[in-house]
Amino acid sequence: MRERLRADYGAGLPHALLLLACFTIAGWVVFLVSGEATLWRMLLWFVGAAVAHDLVLFPTYAALDRLLRRTTGTDSAARRALLNHIRFPALAAGLLFLVFLPGILDLGKDTYQAATGQPRVSYFIRWLAVSGALFTLSGAVLAIRWALGRSPRHGAPPTTATPPR
Amino acid sequence: MSARDDHGYGAPRGLWRELDRHPPPGADAVRRGWRSPLRGPWLTSVLGLVLLVTLPLVIITGLLDYAAYGPQFGQAFPTHVSWLRLPTFDWPTRPSWLFRLTQGLHVGLGIVLIPVVLAKLWSVIPKLFEWPPARSVAQVLERISLLLLVGGILFETATGVLNIQYAYLFGFDFYTAHYFGAWVFIGAFVAHVALKLPRLVTTLRKRRPAVPEQPDPDRLVAERPGPPTLSRRGLLAVVGGGSLLLALLTIGQSLDGPLRRTALLLPRGRNPGSGPNGFQVNRSATAAGIQPAETGQAWRLTLTGGGRTVQLDRATLLAMTQHTARLPIACVEGWSTMQTWTGVRLADLAVLAGVPDPASAHVRSLEQGGLFRQATLQSNQVTDRDALLALRVNGVDLSADHGFPARIIVPALPGVHCTKWVADIEFHDA
């Protein structure tokens, strides 16, 4: 019986029970919110969030990274160091943009003002400043590493960012 | 395993075999296009372990916040959740920073984990484009549960992050969506952990593998790995660095003084003014539609309960025994601030109303509209020694935006239940 289930279903009984429980909760949730006028909007956002990540965000950052790798080259430790010292602040700036997008793009300003009576300034300039600071810091660290790497006492170019092969 | 020797196809085998044999154009190129040498079971397991330890904290603090709103009085949103909630209990008043902690952790940790979630998704994304997408009904079901898992965490993160920044782009009720979305995620998360934990444990028990890792049964390791441009440790440092950066730019929401400004990119990252009343306002008097005439000389506090009605003006309240307490006020949006409040103990007002041992108290505001114009307090929230009808803050009268002439402040009570512009309090007998 167990063998049979495993062969036909493709996994053991606990697998089936766990997923049954998971779908029961999800189904129950849909039942509970089924009276909401905005049910379809919620479902759209739920599935849309996964689609937006998998088919928009991921391909975009992967393509940008590929472009960056082609531009800097990756065939020497120095080039890889340059690549990573652009990559890290770029990733950080992108992350901040994603998380703090409403403030940066001035969304929700009116809601905030109406609720609290407080004016809100756009955070676009602040985001640019933080990003700029991260790029500058990263560049400075790279310059120091190059300077140390080139000095005769230190010999070879820095290799801390290169992986163990 | 003998039953599965046909490439692991389940029933109906013919269907899965045909699917396997007819990949869409480009499937091969996609499979061979994954080049990062860092992907593999070890990396995925490490990221998975971090989320396994931290996400339950976000989940539990979220559910506790729901409990803090007093679902037993029908004042936690959404109201009708059937059995999708923690068992009902009286939210404690001690420690007074309890809600500040649970809500701060929920929002703060939720934000800090974003880079880890994104990295985890990056580490497994080749699986999404794999051909065949399934070899059995079990795999089809597991894929659907993964949509609930991934959709769930991204939906919760997106709605949460937009909510704390007042950008209601989604056009549905935040409470309903965020609460029920959480349950879909919880179900998928528990199933995923139960199914994958054994693999995580065996992977991490072994010695840390070299980069790239050996080909694995889950096919996370690239078929043709390219040369590494970053070490695996470097990648983990980038993820941790991203989390640290977000932590540094979020923690200010919960700090007072100049450090508050470190939450540079969040609306609560600054103090709205200077002076004793210069702290965060959730809802201004104007937004609540409070008229100055209502809060002036004509204002009376009405106490009911025990068959009697008592009306008090502000001068009488100020002439009563005053009590001062230093208490935090914390919002569901994750920000909080500590202030010194002075006023009359709610317990003293209960005695005045003829209900010395109240089971609950219902507080109503002058505010006419608004979801939080009234709140019911539990017995412990009325009788706590620091539970106050505050008249003053930091040594001066409350400002209009902070609830003049009087507001509720109770230890560990969610900010929106610390009713402002109080009009009447109804004490209920045990």
Side-chain angles (χ1 to χ4, degrees):
Chain A
M1 181 66 193
R2 270 195 190 170
E3 281 293 300
R4 193 63 212 255
L5 179 80
R6 195 163 263 287
D8 288 347
Y9 170 66
L13 187 61
H15 184 279
L17 292 178
L18 273 168
L19 292 184
L20 182 69
C22 162
F23 297 140
T24 305
I25 294 178
W28 190 238
V29 163
V30 171
F31 172 75
L32 287 173
V33 295
S34 58
E36 297 279 330
T38 49
L39 171 69
W40 290 106
R41 238 187 136 89
M42 290 187 209
L43 290 177
L44 184 73
W45 270 69
F46 192 97
V47 177
V51 172
H53 172 271
D54 295 345
L55 302 182
V56 181
L57 182 65
F58 167 72
T60 306
Y61 76 70
L64 286 175
D65 192 59
R66 184 163 294 194
L67 191 71
L68 183 63
R69 285 200 310 259
R70 287 216 180 121
T71 311
T72 61
T74 57
D75 49 5
S76 73
R79 282 170 185 275
R80 284 193 294 270
L82 174 65
L83 166 69
N84 284 327
H85 278 264
I86 299 173
R87 229 181 202 175
F88 300 162
L91 263 175
L95 178 70
L96 294 183
F97 184 80
L98 200 65
V99 174
F100 301 113
L101 183 131
I104 294 167
L105 295 186
D106 240 4
L107 308 168
K109 186 173 167 176
D110 296 340
T111 320
Y112 180 76
Q113 207 154 330
T116 64
Q118 296 293 317
R120 195 166 94 184
V121 293
S122 162
Y123 293 151
F124 184 72
I125 301 294
R126 291 188 185 186
W127 172 71
L128 276 186
V130 172
S131 303
L134 290 168
F135 273 103
T136 309
L137 184 72
S138 179
V141 171
L142 182 66
I144 293 169
R145 287 178 55 188
W146 271 346
L148 291 179
R150 277 192 192 138
S151 77
R153 241 185 291 170
H154 287 81
T159 54
T160 36
T162 57
R165 297 296 291 266
Chain B
M1 290 305 280
S2 60
R4 300 180 64 194
D5 53 6
D6 190 9
H7 292 89
Y9 297 133
R13 285 174 184 76
L15 172 75
W16 303 118
R17 195 181 303 116
E18 282 309 299
L19 194 67
D20 199 353
R21 281 182 187 161
H22 296 93
D28 225 34
V30 168
R31 194 183 73 242
R32 303 189 317 141
W34 303 108
R35 301 297 304 275
S36 174
L38 300 186
R39 284 198 185 94
W42 190 84
L43 179 71
T44 298
S45 297
V46 167
L47 294 168
L49 181 63
V50 173
L51 294 175
L52 175 62
V53 172
T54 48
L55 278 179
L57 271 175
V58 181
I59 292 171
I60 292 166
T61 49
L63 292 174
L64 284 176
D65 289 339
Y66 184 80
Y69 270 63
Q72 69 271 39
F73 301 122
Q75 57 185 4
F77 302 107
T79 37
H80 302 292
V81 299
S82 179
W83 39 262
L84 293 178
R85 57 171 173 78
L86 295 180
T88 304
F89 63 96
D90 271 4
W91 184 250
T93 54
R94 299 288 157 176
S96 65
W97 40 261
L98 184 64
F99 186 71
R100 186 182 210 191
L101 177 76
T102 56
Q103 189 51 43
L105 259 183
H106 181 71
V107 173
L109 203 51
I111 290 176
V112 163
L113 289 178
I114 290 173
V116 187
V117 170
L118 292 178
K120 176 74 161 58
L121 293 176
W122 175 84
S123 81
V124 295
I125 203 143
K127 302 278 296 167
L128 180 70
F129 299 95
E130 193 177 48
W131 198 267
R135 291 183 162 83
S136 64
V137 174
Q139 290 184 359
V140 173
L141 294 181
E142 200 169 323
R143 280 196 174 252
I144 298 172
S145 80
L146 289 176
L147 172 66
L148 300 183
L149 183 78
V150 176
I153 189 73
L154 295 174
F155 181 79
E156 290 302 285
T157 308
T159 50
V161 160
L162 288 174
N163 179 60
I164 66 164
Q165 297 178 83
Y166 291 77
Y168 301 103
L169 310 176
F170 34 76
F172 43 72
D173 178 57
F174 168 73
Y175 293 101
T176 307
H178 198 69
Y179 190 80
F180 285 123
W183 278 102
V184 174
F185 175 71
I186 290 168
F189 180 67
V190 169
H192 188 67
V193 169
L195 293 177
K196 296 295 185 189
L197 190 63
R199 176 142 302 162
L200 183 149
V201 171
T202 46
T203 305
L204 293 184
R205 269 206 180 143
K206 276 185 265 177
R207 221 165 60 88
R208 196 171 61 217
V211 171
E213 296 181 43
Q214 292 298 313
D216 63 313
D218 285 323
R219 290 171 302 280
L220 291 172
V221 179
E223 214 173 275
R224 298 186 313 144
T229 54
L230 176 67
S231 69
R232 198 167 46 197
R233 187 181 295 174
L235 176 73
L236 292 175
V238 169
V239 176
S243 290
L244 182 68
L245 181 66
L246 288 175
L248 289 174
L249 290 174
T250 306
I251 186 82
Q253 282 206 112
S254 307
L255 302 174
D256 287 309
L259 284 176
R260 188 163 206 104
R261 303 179 71 94
T262 56
L264 274 180
L265 301 172
L266 281 169
R268 299 301 185 165
R270 65 194 173 131
N271 286 315
S274 54
N277 272 291
F279 57 95
Q280 296 298 321
V281 173
N282 186 50
R283 189 166 165 81
S284 70
T286 313
I290 304 298
Q291 305 297 327
E294 299 175 281
T295 58
Q297 288 299 317
W299 179 80
R300 296 287 181 277
L301 172 72
T302 308
L303 305 176
T304 54
R308 84 170 97 135
T309 300
V310 182
Q311 287 214 321
L312 307 164
D313 61 10
R314 199 161 187 277
T316 314
L317 285 166
L318 280 168
M320 290 175 66
T321 310
Q322 302 291 301
H323 180 74
T324 296
R326 197 160 160 70
L327 294 174
I329 185 151
C331 180
V332 74
E333 286 152 17
W335 60 264
S336 55
T337 175
M338 186 80 123
Q339 305 296 334
T340 305
W341 313 86
T342 303
V344 183
R345 279 195 171 115
L346 290 179
D348 293 347
L349 295 177
V351 170
L352 261 183
V355 189
D357 187 21
S360 65
H362 189 72
V363 183
R364 266 186 293 263
S365 171
L366 290 170
E367 188 182 350
Q368 295 299 313
L371 205 50
F372 299 108
R373 65 181 186 281
Q374 53 186 339
T376 304
L377 305 178
Q378 304 154 180
S379 173
N380 63 331
Q381 290 167 339
V382 181
T383 54
D384 187 282
R385 66 179 186 279
D386 286 342
L388 303 178
L389 179 75
L391 305 165
R392 297 160 65 78
V393 65
N394 301 320
V396 300
D397 278 347
L398 291 168
S399 68
D401 284 345
H402 284 304
F404 183 88
R407 78 170 300 167
I408 299 290
I409 183 87
V410 172
L413 185 68
V416 286
H417 283 172
C418 295
T419 310
K420 298 196 277 193
W421 316 290
V422 173
D424 60 83
I425 308 175
E426 196 181 300
F427 295 95
H428 300 281
D429 239 322

